[in-house]
Amino acid sequence: MQYRRFGKTNLKLSVFSLGTMRYLNNVETAHQTIEKALSLGINHIETARGYGKSEEYLGTAIKSGLSVPRNQLYITTKIPPCADADTMHQYIDESLQRLNLDYLDCLGIHGLNTRQHLEWVETKNGCMQAVHEAVNDGRVKHIGFSTHGALEIILAAINTDLFEFVNLHYYYFFQRNNLAIEAATKKDMGVFIISPADKGGRLYTPPDKLKELCQPFTPLELNYRFLLSDSRITTLSVGAATPEELIAPLAVSHNINELTTEEIKVFKNLENQKNQVLETDKCSQCYACLPCPENINIPEVLRLRNLAVAYDMIDYGKYRYAMFENAGHWFPGMKGNRCTECGDCLPKCPENLDIPALLNDTHERLNGKGGRRLWG
């Protein structure tokens, strides 16, 4: 296991962090998974108020005794933004109680996704007042935020200078937030990458075409290497539900060196494949088409189409497409079939894409049963 400085927190975190969102109704398995992670060198565990019984299960493991001393283990929980200090005071107290802790190494504002959330954290006497009081009395050591929001929201949150770290989405197959990582790095903020295996492409169960294109590596290994080779990034979440699910990700935890010539060659092959297969239907993710009058997240819809057509990432595409209209501010936007062919987007597109036709095609390829987030 390798370790990196988590920005201005000065915590030295393992390059993989144990995420606990998938602890489902089994405290014993949760405890075993935590102990396995610690034995493999992970020193950072992340949970959240909104992750079902996750805080409670982690707290039970802490109370039972862990193999690593508390002063060598870093624990983060996340609490959603709220409009007032009293609510945040209550939430912090409840999380500490469930976790059987008298302090948190890191507290993240969970899901800073909208303009309203940003207003709440910037409002004097709002929720951040309670957070700062918890810092002053030693119950919280460091403050950050997690986000599924648009790049503009993330950049605005970084520029508040209220935070020491950021948790965000960024992967080989989704590089939109590169500018946010640049901005966070300039502020000396720690960078935590959310869910690189799952939302990064469901890479633990890749389609055969993608596996073939990534040879001699696995798609999951390549995505981890893409991230670990980036020195701006401190740590990646691994959301193992069992001890066994830690093995494959942590097999690359020692390698944070620059990409090799062979790895770069595979990434170039992936790019060539996308260009050749999609040809003039490729969306390059410039986001110039927004806003859409029907609130369709056009770039994200077409990103899912890019991946489905170029790499047969259809299961992943259906999984994410199902979140539209079902996950609120965590995955905003309407589905492609909501397009009225108003033509508003067409003159904005520098690639002259037939966006209404591509939205309809994406809907036909990927629409299925509605999905939702695992936890609210």
Side-chain angles (χ1 to χ4, degrees), residues 331-355:
F331 199 68
M334 309 303 284
K335 293 185 176 181
N337 66 325
R338 303 289 185 175
C339 177
T340 62
E341 301 188 20
C342 70
D344 185 78
C345 56
L346 295 176
K348 300 177 186 176
C349 179
E351 296 166 315
N352 296 313
L353 296 177
D354 186 349
I355 292 174

PDB file of all heavy atoms in Angstrom, residues 331-355:
ATOM      1  N   PHE A 331     -28.506  12.906  -9.452  1.00  0.00           N
ATOM      2  CA  PHE A 331     -28.287  12.604 -10.875  1.00  0.00           C
ATOM      3  C   PHE A 331     -29.392  13.299 -11.663  1.00  0.00           C
ATOM      4  O   PHE A 331     -30.354  12.681 -12.105  1.00  0.00           O
ATOM      5  CB  PHE A 331     -28.309  11.090 -11.105  1.00  0.00           C
ATOM      6  CG  PHE A 331     -27.661  10.666 -12.408  1.00  0.00           C
ATOM      7  CD1 PHE A 331     -26.295  10.805 -12.596  1.00  0.00           C
ATOM      8  CD2 PHE A 331     -28.413  10.133 -13.439  1.00  0.00           C
ATOM      9  CE1 PHE A 331     -25.695  10.416 -13.789  1.00  0.00           C
ATOM     10  CE2 PHE A 331     -27.826   9.732 -14.631  1.00  0.00           C
ATOM     11  CZ  PHE A 331     -26.463   9.873 -14.805  1.00  0.00           C
ATOM     12  N   PRO A 332     -29.290  14.622 -11.813  1.00  0.00           N
ATOM     13  CA  PRO A 332     -30.389  15.405 -12.365  1.00  0.00           C
ATOM     14  C   PRO A 332     -30.521  15.266 -13.875  1.00  0.00           C
ATOM     15  O   PRO A 332     -29.591  14.888 -14.578  1.00  0.00           O
ATOM     16  CB  PRO A 332     -30.003  16.839 -11.981  1.00  0.00           C
ATOM     17  CG  PRO A 332     -28.506  16.813 -11.951  1.00  0.00           C
ATOM     18  CD  PRO A 332     -28.138  15.452 -11.422  1.00  0.00           C
ATOM     19  N   GLY A 333     -31.695  15.619 -14.351  1.00  0.00           N
ATOM     20  CA  GLY A 333     -31.942  15.652 -15.787  1.00  0.00           C
ATOM     21  C   GLY A 333     -33.027  14.677 -16.202  1.00  0.00           C
ATOM     22  O   GLY A 333     -33.279  13.680 -15.542  1.00  0.00           O
ATOM     23  N   MET A 334     -33.664  14.998 -17.320  1.00  0.00           N
ATOM     24  CA  MET A 334     -34.720  14.156 -17.878  1.00  0.00           C
ATOM     25  C   MET A 334     -34.124  13.185 -18.897  1.00  0.00           C
ATOM     26  O   MET A 334     -32.998  13.355 -19.366  1.00  0.00           O
ATOM     27  CB  MET A 334     -35.782  15.027 -18.543  1.00  0.00           C
ATOM     28  CG  MET A 334     -36.311  16.162 -17.652  1.00  0.00           C
ATOM     29  SD  MET A 334     -37.009  15.597 -16.099  1.00  0.00           S
ATOM     30  CE  MET A 334     -38.580  14.947 -16.676  1.00  0.00           C
ATOM     31  N   LYS A 335     -34.888  12.171 -19.237  1.00  0.00           N
ATOM     32  CA  LYS A 335     -34.434  11.183 -20.213  1.00  0.00           C
ATOM     33  C   LYS A 335     -34.528  11.726 -21.636  1.00  0.00           C
ATOM     34  O   LYS A 335     -35.216  12.715 -21.911  1.00  0.00           O
ATOM     35  CB  LYS A 335     -35.260   9.905 -20.063  1.00  0.00           C
ATOM     36  CG  LYS A 335     -35.009   9.188 -18.743  1.00  0.00           C
ATOM     37  CD  LYS A 335     -35.738   7.862 -18.662  1.00  0.00           C
ATOM     38  CE  LYS A 335     -35.361   7.144 -17.369  1.00  0.00           C
ATOM     39  NZ  LYS A 335     -36.024   5.832 -17.248  1.00  0.00           N
ATOM     40  N   GLY A 336     -33.830  11.052 -22.539  1.00  0.00           N
ATOM     41  CA  GLY A 336     -33.730  11.536 -23.902  1.00  0.00           C
ATOM     42  C   GLY A 336     -35.053  11.638 -24.634  1.00  0.00           C
ATOM     43  O   GLY A 336     -35.209  12.461 -25.548  1.00  0.00           O
ATOM     44  N   ASN A 337     -36.043  10.808 -24.254  1.00  0.00           N
ATOM     45  CA  ASN A 337     -37.331  10.832 -24.953  1.00  0.00           C
ATOM     46  C   ASN A 337     -38.157  12.077 -24.623  1.00  0.00           C
ATOM     47  O   ASN A 337     -39.213  12.298 -25.208  1.00  0.00           O
ATOM     48  CB  ASN A 337     -38.136   9.580 -24.639  1.00  0.00           C
ATOM     49  CG  ASN A 337     -38.566   9.501 -23.177  1.00  0.00           C
ATOM     50  OD1 ASN A 337     -37.841   9.930 -22.284  1.00  0.00           O
ATOM     51  ND2 ASN A 337     -39.742   8.933 -22.942  1.00  0.00           N
ATOM     52  N   ARG A 338     -37.662  12.906 -23.682  1.00  0.00           N
ATOM     53  CA  ARG A 338     -38.361  14.157 -23.371  1.00  0.00           C
ATOM     54  C   ARG A 338     -38.065  15.246 -24.406  1.00  0.00           C
ATOM     55  O   ARG A 338     -38.639  16.330 -24.343  1.00  0.00           O
ATOM     56  CB  ARG A 338     -37.925  14.655 -21.991  1.00  0.00           C
ATOM     57  CG  ARG A 338     -38.152  13.666 -20.861  1.00  0.00           C
ATOM     58  CD  ARG A 338     -39.612  13.499 -20.527  1.00  0.00           C
ATOM     59  NE  ARG A 338     -39.800  12.638 -19.368  1.00  0.00           N
ATOM     60  CZ  ARG A 338     -40.963  12.401 -18.793  1.00  0.00           C
ATOM     61  NH1 ARG A 338     -42.053  12.984 -19.282  1.00  0.00           N
ATOM     62  NH2 ARG A 338     -41.052  11.606 -17.748  1.00  0.00           N
ATOM     63  N   CYS A 339     -37.182  14.962 -25.334  1.00  0.00           N
ATOM     64  CA  CYS A 339     -36.822  15.939 -26.363  1.00  0.00           C
ATOM     65  C   CYS A 339     -38.044  16.281 -27.213  1.00  0.00           C
ATOM     66  O   CYS A 339     -38.736  15.380 -27.712  1.00  0.00           O
ATOM     67  CB  CYS A 339     -35.708  15.388 -27.237  1.00  0.00           C
ATOM     68  SG  CYS A 339     -35.241  16.467 -28.601  1.00  0.00           S
ATOM     69  N   THR A 340     -38.296  17.569 -27.389  1.00  0.00           N
ATOM     70  CA  THR A 340     -39.410  18.040 -28.218  1.00  0.00           C
ATOM     71  C   THR A 340     -38.942  18.480 -29.609  1.00  0.00           C
ATOM     72  O   THR A 340     -39.744  19.001 -30.385  1.00  0.00           O
ATOM     73  CB  THR A 340     -40.119  19.220 -27.533  1.00  0.00           C
ATOM     74  OG1 THR A 340     -39.184  20.301 -27.394  1.00  0.00           O
ATOM     75  CG2 THR A 340     -40.656  18.821 -26.159  1.00  0.00           C
ATOM     76  N   GLU A 341     -37.661  18.268 -29.886  1.00  0.00           N
ATOM     77  CA  GLU A 341     -37.072  18.682 -31.165  1.00  0.00           C
ATOM     78  C   GLU A 341     -37.250  20.182 -31.389  1.00  0.00           C
ATOM     79  O   GLU A 341     -37.494  20.641 -32.507  1.00  0.00           O
ATOM     80  CB  GLU A 341     -37.654  17.874 -32.333  1.00  0.00           C
ATOM     81  CG  GLU A 341     -37.415  16.382 -32.188  1.00  0.00           C
ATOM     82  CD  GLU A 341     -37.812  15.591 -33.412  1.00  0.00           C
ATOM     83  OE1 GLU A 341     -37.911  16.191 -34.507  1.00  0.00           O
ATOM     84  OE2 GLU A 341     -38.013  14.361 -33.277  1.00  0.00           O
ATOM     85  N   CYS A 342     -37.096  20.947 -30.310  1.00  0.00           N
ATOM     86  CA  CYS A 342     -37.232  22.405 -30.426  1.00  0.00           C
ATOM     87  C   CYS A 342     -36.085  23.030 -31.216  1.00  0.00           C
ATOM     88  O   CYS A 342     -36.213  24.131 -31.735  1.00  0.00           O
ATOM     89  CB  CYS A 342     -37.326  23.037 -29.036  1.00  0.00           C
ATOM     90  SG  CYS A 342     -35.772  22.980 -28.083  1.00  0.00           S
ATOM     91  N   GLY A 343     -34.948  22.330 -31.280  1.00  0.00           N
ATOM     92  CA  GLY A 343     -33.813  22.813 -32.050  1.00  0.00           C
ATOM     93  C   GLY A 343     -32.913  23.787 -31.321  1.00  0.00           C
ATOM     94  O   GLY A 343     -31.935  24.278 -31.899  1.00  0.00           O
ATOM     95  N   ASP A 344     -33.204  24.068 -30.056  1.00  0.00           N
ATOM     96  CA  ASP A 344     -32.411  25.040 -29.295  1.00  0.00           C
ATOM     97  C   ASP A 344     -30.938  24.652 -29.226  1.00  0.00           C
ATOM     98  O   ASP A 344     -30.055  25.507 -29.253  1.00  0.00           O
ATOM     99  CB  ASP A 344     -32.998  25.167 -27.880  1.00  0.00           C
ATOM    100  CG  ASP A 344     -32.314  26.241 -27.058  1.00  0.00           C
ATOM    101  OD1 ASP A 344     -32.614  27.423 -27.282  1.00  0.00           O
ATOM    102  OD2 ASP A 344     -31.476  25.894 -26.208  1.00  0.00           O
ATOM    103  N   CYS A 345     -30.647  23.346 -29.127  1.00  0.00           N
ATOM    104  CA  CYS A 345     -29.271  22.875 -28.955  1.00  0.00           C
ATOM    105  C   CYS A 345     -28.473  22.846 -30.251  1.00  0.00           C
ATOM    106  O   CYS A 345     -27.233  22.882 -30.227  1.00  0.00           O
ATOM    107  CB  CYS A 345     -29.265  21.475 -28.335  1.00  0.00           C
ATOM    108  SG  CYS A 345     -30.224  20.258 -29.280  1.00  0.00           S
ATOM    109  N   LEU A 346     -29.160  22.754 -31.387  1.00  0.00           N
ATOM    110  CA  LEU A 346     -28.470  22.470 -32.650  1.00  0.00           C
ATOM    111  C   LEU A 346     -27.435  23.526 -33.045  1.00  0.00           C
ATOM    112  O   LEU A 346     -26.298  23.174 -33.380  1.00  0.00           O
ATOM    113  CB  LEU A 346     -29.493  22.256 -33.761  1.00  0.00           C
ATOM    114  CG  LEU A 346     -30.387  21.021 -33.577  1.00  0.00           C
ATOM    115  CD1 LEU A 346     -31.431  20.944 -34.685  1.00  0.00           C
ATOM    116  CD2 LEU A 346     -29.536  19.745 -33.562  1.00  0.00           C
ATOM    117  N   PRO A 347     -27.758  24.817 -33.013  1.00  0.00           N
ATOM    118  CA  PRO A 347     -26.735  25.797 -33.406  1.00  0.00           C
ATOM    119  C   PRO A 347     -25.604  25.949 -32.393  1.00  0.00           C
ATOM    120  O   PRO A 347     -24.564  26.518 -32.727  1.00  0.00           O
ATOM    121  CB  PRO A 347     -27.534  27.097 -33.530  1.00  0.00           C
ATOM    122  CG  PRO A 347     -28.728  26.909 -32.668  1.00  0.00           C
ATOM    123  CD  PRO A 347     -29.069  25.449 -32.758  1.00  0.00           C
ATOM    124  N   LYS A 348     -25.793  25.431 -31.176  1.00  0.00           N
ATOM    125  CA  LYS A 348     -24.755  25.533 -30.156  1.00  0.00           C
ATOM    126  C   LYS A 348     -23.676  24.456 -30.320  1.00  0.00           C
ATOM    127  O   LYS A 348     -22.574  24.608 -29.791  1.00  0.00           O
ATOM    128  CB  LYS A 348     -25.371  25.379 -28.760  1.00  0.00           C
ATOM    129  CG  LYS A 348     -26.418  26.410 -28.398  1.00  0.00           C
ATOM    130  CD  LYS A 348     -26.987  26.068 -27.005  1.00  0.00           C
ATOM    131  CE  LYS A 348     -28.136  26.954 -26.619  1.00  0.00           C
ATOM    132  NZ  LYS A 348     -28.724  26.526 -25.319  1.00  0.00           N
ATOM    133  N   CYS A 349     -23.993  23.377 -31.018  1.00  0.00           N
ATOM    134  CA  CYS A 349     -23.083  22.223 -31.079  1.00  0.00           C
ATOM    135  C   CYS A 349     -21.977  22.459 -32.102  1.00  0.00           C
ATOM    136  O   CYS A 349     -22.248  22.565 -33.303  1.00  0.00           O
ATOM    137  CB  CYS A 349     -23.863  20.961 -31.443  1.00  0.00           C
ATOM    138  SG  CYS A 349     -22.804  19.496 -31.575  1.00  0.00           S
ATOM    139  N   PRO A 350     -20.715  22.514 -31.675  1.00  0.00           N
ATOM    140  CA  PRO A 350     -19.615  22.760 -32.617  1.00  0.00           C
ATOM    141  C   PRO A 350     -19.362  21.596 -33.564  1.00  0.00           C
ATOM    142  O   PRO A 350     -18.665  21.753 -34.566  1.00  0.00           O
ATOM    143  CB  PRO A 350     -18.410  23.003 -31.693  1.00  0.00           C
ATOM    144  CG  PRO A 350     -18.740  22.279 -30.433  1.00  0.00           C
ATOM    145  CD  PRO A 350     -20.232  22.390 -30.282  1.00  0.00           C
ATOM    146  N   GLU A 351     -19.947  20.419 -33.235  1.00  0.00           N
ATOM    147  CA  GLU A 351     -19.738  19.236 -34.086  1.00  0.00           C
ATOM    148  C   GLU A 351     -20.929  18.971 -35.000  1.00  0.00           C
ATOM    149  O   GLU A 351     -20.935  17.967 -35.718  1.00  0.00           O
ATOM    150  CB  GLU A 351     -19.474  18.015 -33.193  1.00  0.00           C
ATOM    151  CG  GLU A 351     -18.194  18.165 -32.384  1.00  0.00           C
ATOM    152  CD  GLU A 351     -18.064  17.146 -31.258  1.00  0.00           C
ATOM    153  OE1 GLU A 351     -19.050  16.917 -30.533  1.00  0.00           O
ATOM    154  OE2 GLU A 351     -16.968  16.590 -31.115  1.00  0.00           O
ATOM    155  N   ASN A 352     -21.923  19.874 -34.953  1.00  0.00           N
ATOM    156  CA  ASN A 352     -23.108  19.758 -35.803  1.00  0.00           C
ATOM    157  C   ASN A 352     -23.810  18.408 -35.652  1.00  0.00           C
ATOM    158  O   ASN A 352     -24.289  17.813 -36.632  1.00  0.00           O
ATOM    159  CB  ASN A 352     -22.751  19.994 -37.279  1.00  0.00           C
ATOM    160  CG  ASN A 352     -22.245  21.399 -37.524  1.00  0.00           C
ATOM    161  OD1 ASN A 352     -22.832  22.370 -37.058  1.00  0.00           O
ATOM    162  ND2 ASN A 352     -21.120  21.506 -38.224  1.00  0.00           N
ATOM    163  N   LEU A 353     -23.864  17.907 -34.414  1.00  0.00           N
ATOM    164  CA  LEU A 353     -24.551  16.647 -34.163  1.00  0.00           C
ATOM    165  C   LEU A 353     -26.057  16.831 -34.311  1.00  0.00           C
ATOM    166  O   LEU A 353     -26.607  17.877 -33.978  1.00  0.00           O
ATOM    167  CB  LEU A 353     -24.253  16.153 -32.748  1.00  0.00           C
ATOM    168  CG  LEU A 353     -22.804  15.798 -32.408  1.00  0.00           C
ATOM    169  CD1 LEU A 353     -22.689  15.400 -30.934  1.00  0.00           C
ATOM    170  CD2 LEU A 353     -22.292  14.677 -33.299  1.00  0.00           C
ATOM    171  N   ASP A 354     -26.721  15.764 -34.788  1.00  0.00           N
ATOM    172  CA  ASP A 354     -28.180  15.740 -34.809  1.00  0.00           C
ATOM    173  C   ASP A 354     -28.628  15.295 -33.417  1.00  0.00           C
ATOM    174  O   ASP A 354     -28.980  14.135 -33.186  1.00  0.00           O
ATOM    175  CB  ASP A 354     -28.685  14.779 -35.886  1.00  0.00           C
ATOM    176  CG  ASP A 354     -30.199  14.835 -36.052  1.00  0.00           C
ATOM    177  OD1 ASP A 354     -30.881  15.453 -35.200  1.00  0.00           O
ATOM    178  OD2 ASP A 354     -30.707  14.237 -37.019  1.00  0.00           O
ATOM    179  N   ILE A 355     -28.587  16.222 -32.478  1.00  0.00           N
ATOM    180  CA  ILE A 355     -28.789  15.888 -31.075  1.00  0.00           C
ATOM    181  C   ILE A 355     -30.152  15.253 -30.808  1.00  0.00           C
ATOM    182  O   ILE A 355     -30.232  14.227 -30.109  1.00  0.00           O
ATOM    183  CB  ILE A 355     -28.548  17.129 -30.188  1.00  0.00           C
ATOM    184  CG1 ILE A 355     -27.063  17.512 -30.233  1.00  0.00           C
ATOM    185  CG2 ILE A 355     -28.981  16.867 -28.748  1.00  0.00           C
ATOM    186  CD1 ILE A 355     -26.733  18.808 -29.514  1.00  0.00           C
TER     187      ILE A 355
END
